[in-house]
Amino acid sequence: MPRVGDVSVVVLVIGVVVAFYAGKRWQHTQRATADYRLARTGLRTARKTQLLSLRAVSIALILLVAYLIGTFNLAFDRNEDKQPRPAATSTPAEKPAQK
């Protein structure tokens, strides 16, 4: 017949093992929850940054296209009527009014 002391030691060891694994599971749950919160915050920040950069790129692209169209029009415009013509560099002086 086993003694009461031996049984209590075995029960105590089983309790320690169960508590150890329960503590590991609790620690895992705490870390997973903290990681999830951190990842959720990072995802929100990434989405805001992505939207901001998309807006900036679209504005820059619109400005680039407008610049290229303007440069193309200036470079390949063959209309001779728009060439500057020589003009007088000074205007004739007005005569003073006589009484």
Side-chain angles (χ1 to χ4, degrees):
M1 174 103 110
R3 294 189 333 197
V4 175
D6 294 336
V7 174
S8 61
V9 169
V10 171
V11 170
L12 182 66
V13 168
I14 291 173
V16 167
V17 169
V18 168
F20 176 75
Y21 282 109
K24 276 181 65 174
R25 185 67 187 162
W26 174 256
Q27 187 179 23
H28 168 74
T29 303
Q30 291 295 330
R31 285 182 179 173
T33 303
D35 288 346
Y36 170 74
R37 288 181 182 156
L38 184 64
R40 185 180 59 190
T41 303
L43 184 61
R44 287 180 186 157
T45 305
R47 284 182 182 157
K48 288 178 185 177
T49 306
Q50 184 180 16
L51 185 60
L52 181 65
S53 63
L54 180 65
R55 287 180 184 169
V57 166
S58 62
I59 290 171
L61 186 63
I62 289 170
L63 293 175
L64 177 66
V65 168
Y67 171 76
L68 290 175
I69 289 173
T71 304
F72 180 80
N73 285 340
L74 285 176
F76 296 107
D77 190 14
R78 304 228 185 253
N79 193 353
E80 301 298 329
D81 293 338
K82 294 184 179 179
Q83 295 296 327
R85 295 185 180 159
T89 57
S90 62
T91 58
E94 294 182 19
K95 293 182 181 180
Q98 295 177 352
K99 289 187 175 180

